[in-house]
Amino acid sequence: MPTVNVGRDLLFEALGKEYTEEEFEELCFEYGIELDEVTSEKQMASRMAGKECDDDGDEEVIYKIDIPANRYDMLCLEGIANALNVFLGRTPVPKYRLVEPPNGQPRQRMVVKPETMLVRPFVVCAVLRGVKFDQARYNSFIDLQDKLHQNLCRRRTLVAIGTHDLSTLQGPFSYEARVPEDIEFVPLKQTQSFNARDLMEHYKSDLKLRAFLPIIEKSLVYPVIYDAKGTVLSLPPIINGSHSAINLNTQDVFIECTATDLNKASITLNTVVTMFSMYSKEPFTVEPVEVEDALGNVNVYPKLDSRALSVELDYINSRIGTNLDAATAAKLLSKMCLSGAVGKDGKSIDVLVPPTRSDILHPCDVMEDVAIAYGYNNIVERVPSTVTEARALPINHLTDLLRSDIAMAGFTEVLTWILGSIQDNFEFVNRPDDLKKAAQISNAKTIDFQVVRTSLIPGLLKTLGSNKDAPLPVKIFEISDCVELDTTKDVGARNIRRVAGLACGTTSSFEVVHGLLDRIMEVLGVPFGGDAGYSLDPTGANEDGAFFPGRAANIMWKGKKVGSFGVVHPEVLTRFGIINPCSVVEVDLENFLAMPL
Amino acid sequence: MADQKELVEAELLKQINNNDLGVQDSVEFAGAFGFDHKTVAGVIRSLTAAEMVTYKEFDSSRWVLTKEGAAYADKGSPEVQVFNAIPEGGVPLTTLKEQLGKDVADVGFKQAMQQKWAAIVKGPEPLVTKKVDSVIDTVKELLQQIQADKEVDKVAVEKLKKRKMCSLETQKVYQVTKGPKFALEKKKMETDLTSEMVLKGTWKDTEFKPYNFAAMGTAPTGGHLHPLLKVRKEFREIFFSMGFEEMPTNNFVESGFWNFDALFQPQQHPARDAHDTFFMTTPADTPPENFPQDYLERVKTTHEKGGYGSIGYNYDWKIAEASKNLMRTHTTAVSSRMLYKLAQEGFKPKKYFSIDRVFRNEAVDRTHLAEFHQIEGVICDKGLTLGDLIGVLHAFFKRLGIEKLRFKPAFNPYTEPSMEIFSYHPKLQKWVEIGNSGMFRPEMLEPMGLPPDVSVIAWGLSLERPTMILYDIGNIRDLFGHKVNLSIVKSNPICRLQLPSEVESEA
C-alpha cells in the first residue's frame, strides 16, 4: 500500500477546513484511506540518519497517508484533496478537456521509429500549457512521478515518465532506439556530456538510478527521444536530458511516457495530466499530442474520454443489501468522482468513468463506490440464511484427538517451522539423501528458508537445543505437515501429516519413546504383532545415520514402512548443541486415517 | 545433622526454662555451646511453629576476620614475620620473598619500612636490615581479640579493615522466650498420614504437623498443549458451531495459477514479486496440462480482455507465470480450488473455513514471521449481500467476546467490495484492525462456472495476533518456533474464547 507525504497545512487549505487530527482520521476511515503517521521534515530526516530529534514545533507538519494500491489518482496532495472535496460535496467532479494548441499552431507530434520494438516499443505524450508552479506544487509534481514509478510503473519496468520545459524544445519529436555509443547528451544534474554507454557505467555507483540500469542494459540498442534539432529529451527509463529540465518558471510542460505496456502508459499519462491540469492556465485542460507509430498510424494522446457504463440498480441493491432508488444511487456515485445519472428505464444508472478512475473494471467496482458513499457502517446487517452442515477435515480431526492423547501421556506440544536450512534438515541428521525428495525454494533471503522439511525430527532437536535449561526429563511432540515431491500431484509435491515425539534424560530414554510409539498405536487401534498389527524391523534402520547403531528400528505395518524410532546418534546431538542423550519416534499419520476407531 | 538439631533443641529449651528472661542472644548462646548459629536459628523457627517458644529478632553487627586476617592471627602480622626473618647482617628482598611468600614479604616489608623497623643498605645487591632490636606484634593481638569476640579499640580495628584483615558482619540475632505450649521436650509430630497408620489405627493418637499452605503443591507430571494450537482448536469449534465445513488446506506448495491468477490477481501485481513470495526450484513448475484447460482459457481471457461485464486488465497473460510453483501466500488459494470444484459438481450453498500455514518472503521481526497461520471463512450462496457479510462478522467475532465492530473501505485485488474489520480495544481505548473481508469479484467466480447470481463473502485474520493479545505475548517469536521456552508452553492457561458474556461479567 503506497504512502503519500503531504503538508498538513496545504492539505487543509485545499480542503477549506482546519481539521483536528481525530476529525481527519475519521474522514479518512470513512473514505478508505488511512492517516498512518504525523511527522515533520526534520523528524523524517533525523530518522533516516538514525537519530532522535527534539521537535521545536516550528516545523511544517507532514501527514503520511496510506492510499489503496489501485487509486493512482490519489498519489499526490492534489489528488487526495480532489477526491475528498468531491466526497464532501465541496466541489463538483472535475471535467477534463482537451484543447488545441494556442494561436492555431499545429499539434505537437512524436514519431516512433521501428527499432524501438527491440527494447521499449511504446510512447504516449501530452502538453500542459500555462502551468503556474511554486515550490510546493513543483515538489508534489516530482513526488507524484516517483510514486507512479514505484507502483503502477513497477519500478520503471513497465512505464517511465519524462517531463520537459517545452519552451526549450522544438517539435516534432522522434522516439528512436540507437546503439549506446551513438547517443550523446548532458544528463540531468550533470554539466558534462556522456555517451549512453559511459553514462550507464557512471550510474553504477548512483544509489537511486543503478536500480533501473538492468531494464535496458543488456539491449543492443537504447531508447532515446530527440527533438527536431537533435536535442536529447531523455534516455528512458534511466534519465532526462539537462537541456529541457523543468524549473519553477516553466509554464509549458511536455510529458512523455515510454513503456513496454501501452495500457499502463496511457493510465500513467492520464494520472499525471489530470492531477496537474488544475494548475493549467485554463484549469482541467490538456493539450493533445499526436503519436505516429512505426506503421505510420497516428493516435492522439492523452485519451481523456470518460467511459460510459450502465449498471442495473437492482444489481447494486442486491449486492449491498440496500433499497436505494436510482436518483439516490446516482447522487452517491458523484461523491466518488464517478458521474452518475438515472438511466432511461429508471432501473439503471448511467455511469461516466473519468480517465482518473482506471480502477473501475466491472459494475462491482461501481457497486462498491455506492456502498462506500452510503457508508459501510450504515448498512443494515442481517444473518445469512444459508443452511449448511459443519464438517471437519478427517486428517485434522484425527490430529486434534491424537494431540490431546499424547499430551495426556506426558509429552509437551511444540510448534516449529515448516521451512528450514538444508544443513539442519539433512546434513545435521545424517540424512543427506532425503534432500532428493524435498521441495526447495529458489529465492530465500537467508538459509533459514532454503527447503521444506521432510521430517519433524530436526524441529524437535532444534527445540531441545534451544531449551538447554529445561529440567530433565524433557518430553516433547509435534503433529504437523511435511512435504515430499510427488509427481502424481498437479503441482508435483504433497503434504504428509506426521507425528513425532522426543524424550531426553540422563540416559537414552529409548524405552520411553518406544512406550510412546506403543501408546500412539494403541489409541489408533493398531495392535502389536500379527497380520493386522505393527512390527519392528531393526535391520531396516541400519542405513539411517540419524540413529545410534543397533538402537533403532523401522516401524512396519501391512508390509510397508510407516515410521521409525531410535536413539539419536551422538554426532547428531552435538551438532544441535544437545548435551544429554535422547530418542525420537516419527510416524506417518496418513496411513491410519481410515482406521475404524 | 538430626542429632545436632536435637542437641540444640534440648539445650535451648533447658536454658529458657532456667532463666526467666529466656535466651537473650542466640549468637551468644551458639558461641557458648559451640553450636552453628544457622542450626540454632532453624531450631528456633521450628519450635516457634510448634508454639513452644516465641522470639524477637534484631540485627547485631560484629567484626569477623577475613581469610587473610585469620592467617595473620595465627602466624603473626606480615611486618613482624618480615622483621623476624631478617638475620644479622641483612638479607636481599628476593630471599625474603622466597622464604615468606611474595604477598607476605611485599606487604610486610612495606609496613616494616613505614614503622621504621627495617632499612635498606645499598650495595652491589641492596640488603634489608633491622633498625630496632625488637618489636611487639599489636596487629596479631588485635586480630586474636576479634577472633575471640572481645571488645576492641574502634580506631585500631578500622585500620585493620582498611588492610582487608577484617570486616563488619551484620546478622540476625534472636531473643527467645517461652511460648504458650512451652515444654522441655518437643512432642514428635507426623508430617503425613501413612497407610500403616490407617491399617493399625495409630492415626488416632498421632499429632500431625500443620500443613504449609503458603508453599506450592507438587507439580503434576502430565504433558501440555501448545498455546497457539489451543486457540486454533477453539476457532475450529466456533466455525463448527456456525455450520462451516473445513477445507483441505494440506498443500503448502501451490502454483501461481491457483494462488494468484484464479483470483484475478494480475501477473504484474507486487505480491507476485520475488521479494514477497517464496518461489520453488523443485518442483519449479506445474506442467500446463495439469490445469483444467477450458478454465485456464477463461482465466486468461478475463485477465487480458475481460468478460462477464469486465474490461479486464489489458495485458499479455503468460502461462509461464501461472505455472511457477510457490509456497502459498494465503489459504485463499485453497478457497479458489474449492469454489472451482463446487462449480464443476453443481452449485450448492456452502460455508467453508480453514486455519492453516501460509508463507511470505518477508523480513522477520517482533510481529512478522515468514510463516504464520491464516484463519479464513467463506460463504457461498445466491443473493448474499454486504449486509450478510457484516452480520456474519458480528456473529463470528461475538463468539470471541468482541462486540464492537466497524468497517473501513479497502482495496484487495480479488474482493470488491473490500472491508477492513476494526474492533474497539477497551484496554488501548482505540479501534484496531483485526481482519480483512469482502465479496469475491465476478471476474474470479464466473470463469469458474458459478452462476452470476451467486455471491461469495469471505473474511480472514491471522491466528497469531489474537493469541498474542489473549496470552499477553509481545514478541511473536516467543510463541512460535523452536526457540520458544518450553516453560511458556507448560504454564499458559486453558483457552476459552467462547466465554459467554454473562460469565465474563461475573468474573
Side-chain angles (χ1 to χ4, degrees), chain B residues 93-118:
Chain B
L93 189 58
T94 46
T95 314
L96 280 178
K97 281 186 188 173
E98 278 163 23
Q99 258 182 330
L100 301 172
K102 189 178 180 299
D103 290 348
V104 173
D106 277 348
V107 177
F109 171 69
K110 210 173 132 201
Q111 284 290 328
M113 288 294 286
Q114 266 179 23
Q115 306 270 2
K116 299 201 168 64
W117 292 352

Side-chain angles (χ1 to χ4, degrees), chain A residues 366-551:
Chain A
V366 175
M367 176 264 288
E368 182 189 56
D369 274 5
V370 174
I372 293 172
Y374 181 77
Y376 279 179
N377 297 295
N378 297 325
I379 297 169
V380 178
E381 65 171 285
R382 65 174 207 189
V383 178
S385 53
T386 309
V387 177
T388 50
E389 226 173 274
R391 212 171 78 92
L393 190 69
I395 191 74
N396 289 356
H397 185 218
L398 177 63
T399 299
D400 251 5
L401 292 172
L402 190 60
R403 285 170 63 227
S404 301
D405 249 306
I406 296 179
M408 281 189 266
F411 285 72
T412 291
E413 188 173 34
V414 300
L415 181 64
T416 66
W417 307 122
I418 306 274
L419 303 179
S421 69
I422 290 174
Q423 191 178 57
D424 284 344
N425 279 282
F426 304 100
E427 293 166 7
F428 274 15
V429 288
N430 289 337
R431 289 172 170 176
D433 287 347
D434 282 1
L435 182 58
K436 289 177 199 146
K437 58 181 182 186
Q440 297 186 50
I441 286 166
S442 64
N443 60 332
K445 283 173 190 139
T446 70
I447 61 159
D448 294 331
F449 313 113
Q450 283 176 316
V451 70
V452 192
R453 68 180 174 200
T454 56
S455 163
L456 300 173
I457 302 293
L460 293 181
L461 292 171
K462 284 188 87 168
T463 305
L464 184 60
S466 300
N467 276 277
K468 290 192 177 63
D469 51 358
L472 296 178
V474 175
K475 291 190 279 183
I476 54 178
F477 80 99
E478 180 168 15
I479 309 183
S480 187
D481 282 353
C482 297
V483 172
E484 287 184 9
L485 300 181
D486 181 350
T487 49
T488 66
K489 290 281 171 182
D490 61 346
V491 297
R494 75 185 165 110
N495 281 30
I496 304 169
R497 185 71 45 94
R498 294 215 162 100
V499 50
L502 175 152
C504 175
T506 50
T507 59
S508 77
S509 310
F510 194 32
E511 295 91 342
V512 178
V513 154
H514 191 169
L516 175 64
L517 167 65
D518 293 338
R519 177 62 186 158
I520 289 171
M521 290 304 190
E522 187 170 32
V523 298
L524 289 175
V526 183
F528 181 63
D531 286 346
Y534 66 103
S535 61
L536 302 177
D537 168 21
T539 47
N542 280 346
E543 298 296 304
D544 194 336
F547 298 128
F548 196 55
R551 287 287 183 281

Side-chain angles (χ1 to χ4, degrees), chain A residues 247-266:
Chain A
N247 56 52
L248 292 185
N249 300 319
T250 300
Q251 295 200 346
D252 298 338
V253 184
F254 181 74
I255 301 154
E256 38 89 1
C257 297
T258 57
T260 54
D261 179 325
L262 182 59
N263 183 43
K264 291 265 190 317
S266 185

Side-chain angles (χ1 to χ4, degrees), chain B residues 76-232:
Chain B
S77 68
E79 53 268 35
V80 171
Q81 287 190 45
V82 165
F83 183 84
N84 289 339
I86 301 171
E88 201 71 32
V91 61
L93 189 58
T94 46
T95 314
L96 280 178
K97 281 186 188 173
E98 278 163 23
Q99 258 182 330
L100 301 172
K102 189 178 180 299
D103 290 348
V104 173
D106 277 348
V107 177
F109 171 69
K110 210 173 132 201
Q111 284 290 328
M113 288 294 286
Q114 266 179 23
Q115 306 270 2
K116 299 201 168 64
W117 292 352
I120 290 278
V121 178
K122 289 181 181 164
E125 187 176 24
L127 294 177
V128 184
T129 57
K130 279 186 185 171
K131 220 177 166 184
V132 294
D133 293 339
S134 64
V135 295
I136 300 168
D137 197 346
T138 50
V139 171
K140 181 179 173 183
E141 278 171 28
L142 203 57
L143 287 171
Q144 285 176 342
Q145 280 172 3
I146 292 169
Q147 215 167 23
D149 231 351
K150 288 183 185 156
E151 282 287 318
V152 285
D153 178 51
K154 273 185 188 162
V155 183
V157 85
E158 281 297 334
K159 274 189 191 158
L160 295 189
K161 189 188 165 193
K162 270 189 196 146
R163 292 184 65 185
K164 300 209 169 80
M165 292 187 192
C166 63
S167 63
L168 195 61
E169 196 175 76
T170 305
Q171 69 179 143
K172 294 259 181 263
V173 174
Y174 303 95
Q175 181 190 357
V176 195
T177 51
K178 285 182 183 173
K181 294 185 183 168
F182 183 82
L184 273 177
E185 214 179 319
K186 192 176 167 189
K187 200 170 181 188
K188 269 234 162 145
M189 290 197 292
E190 293 296 337
T191 51
D192 210 350
L193 186 65
T194 63
S195 44
E196 196 188 339
M197 293 173 196
V198 174
L199 206 63
K200 294 183 181 166
T202 50
W203 58 271
K204 291 175 199 159
D205 305 316
T206 309
E207 255 194 69
F208 291 91
K209 264 191 184 171
Y211 182 78
N212 181 6
F213 287 99
M216 302 295 281
T218 308
T221 53
H224 312 268
L225 294 173
H226 193 280
L228 194 69
L229 301 180
K230 287 200 259 194
V231 180
R232 181 180 72 179

Side-chain angles (χ1 to χ4, degrees), chain A residues 75-78 126-128 131-149 161-165 240 245-248 250 252-256 268-269 271-277 279:
Chain A
L75 290 177
C76 60
L77 183 141
E78 288 75 10
V127 172
L128 291 175
V131 175
K132 280 194 195 64
F133 279 121
D134 57 24
Q135 194 62 51
R137 290 173 182 183
Y138 179 86
N139 292 349
S140 180
F141 191 56
I142 303 297
D143 283 352
L144 172 65
Q145 293 172 50
D146 258 357
K147 290 276 180 269
L148 286 169
H149 277 150
I161 311 160
T163 54
H164 309 274
D165 188 331
N240 290 345
I246 60 165
N247 56 52
L248 292 185
T250 300
D252 298 338
V253 184
F254 181 74
I255 301 154
E256 38 89 1
T268 305
L269 181 69
T271 307
V272 175
V273 298
T274 51
M275 291 304 104
F276 282 84
S277 61
Y279 301 134

Side-chain angles (χ1 to χ4, degrees), chain A residues 1 26 28-34 68-70 154-155 158 261 263-264 307 309 315 317-321 359-365 367-368 371-372 376-377 379-393 395-397 399-400 403-404 407-419 438-445 449 452-453 459 462-463 466-467 470 474 476-478 480-481 483 485 489-495 497 590, chain B residues 221-226 228-230 232-233 236 240 243-248 250-255 258 264 268 270 273-275 277-283 285-287 290 308-315 325 327 337 349-351 357 359 361-362 364 369-371 373 379 381 383-388 390-392 394 406-411 416-420 422 439 441-443 452-455 480-486 489-490:
Chain A
M1 188 183 286
E26 202 57 32
C28 289
F29 192 97
E30 223 185 312
Y31 194 81
I33 58 179
E34 195 170 329
N70 61 342
R154 307 295 299 131
R155 293 186 293 281
L158 300 182
D261 179 325
N263 183 43
K264 291 265 190 317
R307 185 160 54 91
L309 186 67
Y315 172 75
N317 278 324
S318 71
R319 292 294 159 130
I320 305 175
D359 59 300
I360 305 285
L361 305 177
H362 184 277
C364 72
D365 298 300
M367 176 264 288
E368 182 189 56
I372 293 172
Y376 279 179
N377 297 295
I379 297 169
V380 178
E381 65 171 285
R382 65 174 207 189
V383 178
S385 53
T386 309
V387 177
T388 50
E389 226 173 274
R391 212 171 78 92
L393 190 69
I395 191 74
N396 289 356
H397 185 218
T399 299
D400 251 5
R403 285 170 63 227
S404 301
M408 281 189 266
F411 285 72
T412 291
E413 188 173 34
V414 300
L415 181 64
T416 66
W417 307 122
I418 306 274
L419 303 179
Q440 297 186 50
I441 286 166
S442 64
N443 60 332
K445 283 173 190 139
F449 313 113
V452 192
R453 68 180 174 200
K462 284 188 87 168
T463 305
S466 300
N467 276 277
V474 175
I476 54 178
F477 80 99
E478 180 168 15
S480 187
D481 282 353
V483 172
L485 300 181
K489 290 281 171 182
D490 61 346
V491 297
R494 75 185 165 110
N495 281 30
R497 185 71 45 94
E590 312 264 349
Chain B
T221 53
H224 312 268
L225 294 173
H226 193 280
L228 194 69
L229 301 180
K230 287 200 259 194
R232 181 180 72 179
K233 183 161 195 284
R236 287 180 84 231
F240 291 142
F244 281 69
E245 177 181 335
E246 196 168 26
M247 291 189 277
N250 47 347
N251 58 327
F252 296 153
V253 178
E254 187 53 278
S255 60
W258 290 107
F264 195 55
Q268 316 92 335
D273 267 7
H275 60 256
T277 301
F278 288 116
F279 288 95
M280 315 302 296
T281 45
T282 332
D285 300 291
T286 296
N290 286 1
Y308 314 100
S310 175
I311 58 170
Y313 289 119
N314 222 321
Y315 72 102
N325 278 337
M327 295 302 289
R337 282 177 182 268
K350 280 285 180 186
K351 290 183 194 161
R357 207 84 63 108
F359 305 85
N361 194 5
E362 284 176 349
V364 173
L369 294 173
E371 298 178 22
H373 292 80
I379 307 179
D381 201 355
L384 289 175
T385 67
L386 214 48
D388 287 307
I390 292 171
V392 78
H394 273 122
R406 187 155 99 116
F407 305 95
K408 176 173 167 275
F411 169 67
E416 191 83 7
S418 309
M419 309 195 299
E420 278 174 4
F422 281 70
M439 299 176 96
R441 292 189 72 99
E443 295 100 319
D453 58 341
V454 166
S455 44
F480 197 167
H482 60 271
K483 286 186 179 156
V484 171
N485 194 328
L486 289 176
V489 181
K490 291 184 182 180

